[in-house]
Amino acid sequence: SLGEFEQHTLAASPGWPSTGTPAWLDAFVQRVFDEVPYYRALGSPPRDFRQLPTISRAELSVTELP
């Protein structure tokens, strides 16, 4: 029910697990490298998520990739 969802949401701890990255992160990064031309042009994802380059909306609209 909506009430149960609200209680679960309010009780949840925001942020990532203290033990590291969320379980879904590796699959998400791989999907980004598969589907986003800017990241696809970089090759393979780095092993460490923190090594990913950040980009802006402007870089996503560029037709020439790195």
Side-chain angles (χ1 to χ4, degrees):
S1 78
L2 183 56
E4 291 172 342
F5 175 75
E6 179 182 29
Q7 288 176 345
H8 175 73
T9 302
L10 292 174
S13 176
W16 287 5
S18 60
T19 57
T21 58
W24 53 263
L25 185 62
D26 289 339
F28 175 75
V29 169
Q30 186 60 57
R31 182 173 180 187
V32 168
F33 270 77
D34 290 344
E35 297 189 16
V36 177
Y38 182 91
Y39 284 106
R40 188 172 38 230
L42 297 177
S44 300
R47 289 184 182 196
D48 184 351
F49 170 76
R50 295 171 293 180
Q51 299 301 316
L52 280 171
T54 56
I55 59 175
S56 70
R57 292 178 113 192
E59 290 167 307
L60 290 174
S61 68
V62 173
T63 56
E64 292 184 32
L65 301 174

